[in-house]
Amino acid sequence: MTDLFIGIVDEKGDSFTPFSFPQTVEIGALTYIQDRLKEIIPNSCHFEDSLIYDFIPGLKMYIIPFRLPFQRTFFLVSGFFLEEGTKHEVLNFSGKTVQDTSLFPLVLQAKEYSEAAKQKKLRQLENACKLIGQLWAAEHERMQYQKKMREMKETVHFLSDPQADVDSFLTHVQKRTDALDFIGFAVKSEANVFTVKYFHSGTDRSMIGQKFMLGEGFLGQAMAAEKFQIWTDIQEDPRTHFFKRFGLLPSSLFCAPVRLHGENKGLLFGGSFHRAHWEEFLVEEFKFLSSLFQSIYLISSLKNQINSQRIQWFTMNEILRHLANTTDGEKLLSIFLDMSMYLMESPAACVVFRKNRLSEQISFLSRGMDETLRSVYQKDLESRFFTKPFHAAPFTKPEVYRFNDQWFLEYPIICQEHFYGILSVAVDQPHPPQKSKECLITLANVCGISLAMAENGSEMNREHEFYHFLIDLEQYFRPDILHHKRKAKEIARKFCRSLDLNDLFQDMIQYAIDLINLDSAIIQKYFPNKKIQKYIEMYHYLLENPMDMKEEKIPLESKIIFLAFQYEIDPESVRQLTDQLSQAFILFLEGLEEEEKDEMTPGKTDEGKGEDGNVPHGFLQSVNLSRREFEVLALVLKGASNQEIAEKLSISYHTVKNHMTNILQKLGVSDRAQAIAKIYQMGYFPKLD
């Protein structure tokens, strides 16, 4: 386009691109040009405007500076040309002064430009520089985008690593993010006080363990504001003193409070020692990383909870194992003392008891007590609780008792209204949390069962006791799950009744729902009912393969357990199922909701009723049902069994079955679930007064 050679060099004059020539150039001339540019360009770096430079006297070239997105200056160099009418003069002068004869062809081939042509070429080249800058900027942005996408994908993929935790995530981010020289996380350690728990800046760990108050310095202010914040150019800001005490001099800083369940759990922070300002895309990247960190922190917290619960269940499994395999009450109590100290994080525990409720002999077991404390505390317990016979508990809730500057949480050991003794666990405060009290109650109840079993042998129904014991444990450890189970059992019961399933069928489902969270090994060992085991096994299969609800090999009991419990904890996952039973279940629940709304609306009248009162206008005609058949159907939709319908309408069970057969035939369906689904799909919600 220019009929000139053209190329790009950097600030040192080194070639950044190859040179392009419109004609053949000798190697010697090319070498001379490259060496000469290394002399010319460094001396021209301070110019911001385009230059017309005499490469050799009279032989001219263009030098046009331009900057790229990554803040480097480059130069477009182009030539050669002569002033109009000067070629002969330049050749003569060059022949006398220039030693390298390889340059003479360049002079001979150079065109002569008028002043107007010279300026026109300059504008062309300046426009070319703008275009190069735009293309280069787009390419740089594309490469940066691809790089960031790779980094983000790696970071997101990092979340799936089973070994991922908060510390490894911060290490990963600090290494992968060039803009961050340090990153850390502070956790709430006490009221309005936060402690730096993790800090990464190369090998520097000096910040770990340092504390700051809410509102104090940059970090404290971010926690008080409860929102993501960016600070730039902060080298002289007094609030950086928190870092400067450890030889850290941040130039910019970001802070992101981490919240879980509506509560501030800590603060993610990071910064640079060199960047006084951050581009907008970096700010967005830090916000993205903050969101990911919140996820990894949640995952890590859940892992810790799961591990804690796994340990708790393992502990209780050990209790159950010993409870089932030994009748030695004293041995069991020794185990319970160890478990109580572990579960309640207590330094000491003891139990004072009678091996037999009619015995006069009092026994004492302890853990973590020195001989002196053990002796005097035993006497104190005996004097307070065994000086006269007790026919019931000496108190009905755990009580804190102070003895020798130590607090003890005490609770009676009772079984079948017989008082056996006192379980006592050392606590670190006069007002221990409610969970500690509930845990002590559960352990004391198990102690009572143990002593009663040791006393009565096999007279006690162990499976029954295990079942209720597990319910008690769940009430303490996972009251939320127990609540979901109760709701699920109620939903399952009503749904079973709507399908006219018998009481035994319903009871098996209720029993299985209570056990679905137990490890399969515990179920097989302590609850030998093969059907129950099968129902729970297939329930867990459906959790992993919900689309297999259509499979006939899966028992109906397992399907109803899955629908009821899963609907209670995650309704949306059930609504996405397309099989017939699931759809009937959803429509059934929607009918119950409509019924509850009707019952809760004072003075509400049923619109659209015909002369039959409860029958919507035109409904009987559309499905060809008799008045009695409609009444039967309405009770089916309310979850009534055939027997309940018979009692409600004062007709025989056999008559109800005949009505049901007629209803199914008229609706063109084969069972009650399909009938329910069809009626609700038609938009009718019959209701009897």
Side-chain angles (χ1 to χ4, degrees):
M1 291 174 64
T2 63
D3 203 25
L4 302 172
F5 93 84
I6 192 167
I8 297 176
V9 297
D10 62 17
E11 294 167 309
K12 296 180 179 179
D14 293 324
S15 298
F16 196 73
T17 68
F19 291 124
S20 177
F21 288 88
Q23 68 278 326
T24 304
V25 177
E26 296 181 18
I27 296 297
L30 179 59
T31 302
Y32 185 85
I33 292 171
Q34 291 173 331
D35 293 341
R36 185 84 175 90
L37 286 173
K38 292 179 181 180
E39 299 175 3
I40 296 171
I41 295 301
N43 295 325
S44 306
C45 282
H46 61 283
F47 293 108
E48 296 183 359
D49 299 322
S50 303
L51 302 177
I52 296 178
Y53 198 89
D54 284 289
F55 185 73
I56 61 174
L59 185 64
K60 300 179 181 295
M61 66 183 298
Y62 295 102
I63 302 177
I64 304 172
F66 64 95
R67 295 179 69 83
L68 294 181
F70 37 95
Q71 303 301 312
R72 286 185 62 186
T73 300
F74 290 84
F75 298 86
L76 181 74
V77 293
S78 182
F80 294 104
F81 66 92
L82 302 167
E83 293 280 357
E84 190 174 27
T86 63
K87 180 174 288 190
H88 181 72
E89 181 181 359
V90 172
L91 280 171
N92 287 337
F93 185 80
S94 300
K96 295 176 182 179
T97 59
V98 178
Q99 302 297 321
D100 193 336
T101 58
S102 64
L103 295 178
F104 294 157
L106 298 179
V107 179
L108 288 170
Q109 295 167 5
K111 294 184 177 181
E112 296 180 276
Y113 287 168
S114 65
E115 184 64 28
K118 182 173 65 175
Q119 293 300 322
K120 181 179 178 180
K121 290 290 183 184
L122 178 60
R123 287 194 297 273
Q124 285 180 329
L125 291 168
E126 287 177 337
N127 288 334
C129 279
K130 292 179 182 178
L131 180 58
I132 291 170
Q134 291 171 357
L135 293 173
W136 213 331
E139 176 67 10
H140 176 72
E141 185 175 343
R142 184 183 68 83
M143 293 176 66
Q144 287 294 314
Y145 174 78
Q146 291 178 341
K147 178 185 176 185
K148 291 301 177 187
M149 285 303 295
R150 285 195 302 271
E151 292 176 354
M152 288 181 179
K153 286 180 180 178
E154 290 175 3
T155 303
V156 172
H157 180 70
F158 179 86
L159 296 178
S160 63
D161 185 350
Q163 304 302 319
D165 57 17
V166 170
D167 193 40
S168 59
F169 179 81
L170 294 178
T171 302
H172 171 84
V173 170
Q174 201 271 326
K175 288 181 178 178
R176 297 295 302 169
T177 309
D178 298 337
L180 289 176
D181 294 320
F182 65 89
I183 190 168
F185 180 61
V187 298
K188 188 174 183 179
S189 53
E190 50 187 292
N192 296 330
V193 178
F194 298 84
T195 303
V196 178
K197 188 174 182 179
Y198 305 101
F199 186 79
H200 294 274
S201 178
T203 58
D204 190 344
R205 297 290 186 273
S206 57
M207 294 290 295
I208 294 178
Q210 301 307 313
K211 299 180 183 294
F212 61 89
M213 295 284 293
L214 185 69
E216 179 186 15
F218 286 119
L219 305 187
Q221 287 184 7
M223 286 303 307
E226 296 186 353
K227 64 180 181 179
F228 180 90
Q229 293 196 337
I230 287 281
W231 286 280
T232 58
D233 199 16
I234 59 173
Q235 299 92 324
E236 304 301 324
D237 195 307
R239 289 173 293 181
T240 60
H241 181 68
F242 182 75
F243 298 93
K244 289 179 179 178
R245 288 180 298 169
F246 308 99
L248 304 176
L249 305 174
S251 297
S252 50
L253 181 71
F254 85 87
C255 294
V258 175
R259 294 176 62 84
L260 288 180
H261 311 302
E263 181 183 354
N264 281 332
K265 295 295 185 180
L267 180 74
L268 177 69
F269 63 92
S272 172
F273 300 132
H274 309 97
R275 292 175 181 253
H277 298 277
W278 276 324
E279 295 87 344
E280 184 62 29
F281 77 90
L282 282 175
V283 175
E284 293 303 316
E285 180 180 353
F286 297 153
K287 290 180 180 179
F288 172 75
L289 289 174
S290 301
S291 298
L292 285 184
F293 178 82
Q294 186 136 329
S295 298
I296 197 71
Y297 185 72
L298 172 60
I299 292 171
S300 182
S301 299
L302 290 175
K303 282 182 179 178
N304 291 336
Q305 290 179 17
I306 291 170
N307 288 335
S308 175
Q309 289 170 9
R310 184 181 294 116
I311 292 171
Q312 290 171 352
W313 279 110
F314 172 79
T315 302
M316 291 306 165
N317 185 37
E318 287 297 300
I319 292 176
L320 287 174
R321 185 171 64 83
H322 287 288
L323 192 62
N325 296 326
T326 183
T327 57
D328 186 342
E330 189 165 331
K331 181 178 180 181
L332 287 171
L333 290 178
S334 298
I335 295 171
F336 294 150
L337 286 179
D338 292 332
M339 298 306 183
S340 63
M341 289 174 61
Y342 175 77
L343 291 175
M344 299 179 63
E345 299 179 355
S346 171
C350 68
V351 58
V352 55
F353 65 100
R354 289 191 179 99
K355 292 182 180 180
N356 184 298
R357 61 181 182 272
L358 301 178
S359 172
E360 294 297 324
Q361 181 181 357
I362 298 173
S363 300
F364 186 81
L365 294 174
S366 68
R367 292 287 187 272
M369 292 184 177
D370 59 45
E371 187 62 32
T372 302
L373 177 61
R374 182 184 186 281
S375 176
V376 294
Y377 187 46
Q378 175 183 357
K379 293 178 181 178
D380 180 77
L381 286 170
E382 290 178 3
S383 65
R384 286 190 288 129
F385 298 111
F386 292 92
T387 55
K388 59 182 180 179
F390 283 99
H391 300 286
F395 42 84
T396 58
K397 61 182 180 179
E399 293 189 357
V400 177
Y401 179 73
R402 186 168 186 175
F403 185 81
N404 283 11
D405 297 324
Q406 172 69 62
W407 299 100
F408 289 93
L409 189 61
E410 301 174 341
Y411 190 71
I413 300 172
I414 308 162
C415 186
Q416 298 176 337
E417 298 184 354
H418 295 294
F419 172 69
Y420 284 90
I422 297 291
L423 176 63
S424 175
V425 179
V427 292
D428 58 3
Q429 54 180 304
H431 303 288
Q434 183 63 26
K435 289 186 68 174
S436 295
K437 296 179 180 179
E438 293 170 355
C439 181
L440 186 69
I441 292 173
T442 300
L443 290 168
N445 289 338
V446 178
C447 287
I449 294 172
S450 304
L451 290 171
M453 286 179 63
E455 183 178 7
N456 300 323
S458 60
E459 294 177 0
M460 204 174 277
N461 185 332
R462 294 189 179 186
E463 181 177 332
H464 180 73
E465 292 296 333
F466 292 166
Y467 174 84
H468 289 285
F469 170 48
L470 289 172
I471 300 300
D472 288 343
L473 289 180
E474 203 154 48
Q475 178 67 49
Y476 168 65
F477 289 115
R478 293 301 304 273
D480 54 334
I481 294 296
L482 187 60
H483 173 74
H484 289 316
K485 285 182 179 180
R486 287 171 177 167
K487 296 282 287 185
K489 288 194 293 184
E490 178 65 17
I491 292 171
R493 182 184 63 79
K494 291 182 178 180
F495 188 52
C496 287
R497 291 173 62 187
S498 75
L499 300 179
D500 200 27
L501 300 175
N502 61 46
D503 291 343
L504 178 60
F505 189 100
Q506 297 179 39
D507 290 343
M508 295 287 275
I509 288 177
Q510 303 276 302
Y511 196 75
I513 288 176
D514 278 328
L515 304 179
I516 55 176
N517 283 359
L518 283 183
D519 184 84
S520 59
I522 295 178
I523 294 174
Q524 292 173 7
K525 188 168 185 178
Y526 299 109
F527 303 93
N529 189 305
K530 297 299 181 183
K531 288 186 177 181
I532 292 292
Q533 294 176 10
K534 179 67 173 179
Y535 300 160
I536 295 174
E537 177 187 352
M538 297 311 294
Y539 159 79
H540 287 289
Y541 173 82
L542 286 174
L543 282 179
E544 299 295 330
N545 307 277
M547 294 299 111
D548 286 354
M549 281 286 290
K550 300 177 182 178
E551 295 292 332
E552 293 183 1
K553 67 179 182 180
I554 299 176
L556 178 59
E557 291 88 340
S558 297
K559 294 179 180 180
I560 294 176
I561 292 168
F562 172 76
L563 289 172
F565 191 73
Q566 201 63 16
Y567 183 85
E568 171 59 25
I569 62 175
D570 186 9
E572 197 57 36
S573 66
V574 175
R575 295 183 191 279
Q576 295 173 0
L577 299 175
T578 58
D579 64 282
Q580 194 174 61
L581 181 65
S582 300
Q583 290 299 303
F585 177 77
I586 294 299
L587 291 170
F588 167 76
L589 289 178
E590 290 174 353
L592 289 182
E593 292 172 2
E594 286 293 326
E595 180 182 319
E596 290 172 0
K597 289 179 182 177
D598 288 343
E599 293 174 353
M600 292 176 65
T601 305
K604 181 174 179 180
T605 59
D606 293 325
E607 298 180 0
K609 293 180 181 179
E611 60 184 8
D612 290 321
N614 287 318
V615 187
H617 182 71
F619 179 80
L620 297 181
Q621 292 77 8
S622 66
V623 293
N624 195 28
L625 293 180
S626 69
R627 169 69 184 188
R628 178 62 79 184
E629 288 168 350
F630 174 81
E631 292 174 339
V632 171
L633 179 59
L635 288 170
V636 169
L637 294 175
K638 295 181 72 174
S641 65
N642 282 0
Q643 185 61 45
E644 290 171 331
I645 294 173
E647 294 172 358
K648 179 74 174 179
L649 300 180
S650 300
I651 57 180
S652 70
Y653 181 87
H654 181 72
T655 301
V656 173
K657 292 192 69 174
N658 288 338
H659 284 314
M660 281 303 307
T661 301
N662 293 335
I663 291 169
L664 297 179
Q665 288 177 350
K666 291 179 180 181
L667 293 178
V669 296
S670 59
D671 57 42
R672 295 164 74 105
Q674 293 178 14
I676 292 170
K678 185 166 184 176
I679 293 303
Y680 285 127
Q681 286 169 353
M682 294 172 68
Y684 294 113
F685 303 95
K687 175 177 178 292
L688 287 178
D689 291 334

